Amino acid sequence: MALGWSVCGAALLALAAGGLPDPYWCADSGGHYVTTCDTPHSSHPACVPSVDSPRDIGGEAAAAPCNAAAAAGAGWVTCLMFVATLGYVCADVAADGLTATLAMREPIESRGT
């Protein structure tokens, strides 16, 4: 049980220390992501036409991403979250086994009361 929680804690510490990549979309002055070039964002630098980015999302012109490499940074975060989940599931399974073992020590007459 302690090993599972140790693995989970180590993965979460690595996740907290690693930081996140810059966001995929640009942010406007209000902090909102610019994903389409509708009227309020038409003058944003991300709305300059680009050959590399798709220009149509549901009938609206798509904005160019500010950090197209952000998707590649998701693999590291996903792996750390997987290791953290594996650790806490192992700890939970061990705790369930301990609970079942201790429950068997209870006299049959008083079980479940």
Side-chain angles (χ1 to χ4, degrees):
M1 205 172 350
L3 179 64
W5 284 119
S6 298
V7 168
C8 180
L12 291 177
L13 282 174
L15 185 64
L20 295 173
D22 291 333
Y24 182 79
W25 297 111
C26 300
D28 63 8
S29 59
H32 302 357
Y33 290 121
V34 179
T35 58
T36 60
C37 292
D38 53 1
T39 307
H41 299 121
S42 59
S43 62
H44 195 276
C47 291
V48 174
S50 171
V51 184
D52 298 332
S53 64
R55 301 301 298 159
D56 189 22
I57 296 178
E60 296 179 341
C66 284
N67 183 13
W76 179 246
V77 173
T78 303
C79 287
L80 286 174
M81 292 301 290
F82 170 75
V83 171
T85 301
L86 183 67
Y88 88 75
V89 167
C90 288
D92 183 49
V93 168
D96 290 346
L98 181 63
T99 302
T101 301
L102 293 176
M104 287 184 216
R105 293 185 180 180
E106 193 174 14
I108 293 178
E109 300 82 31
S110 64
R111 284 186 190 177
T113 59

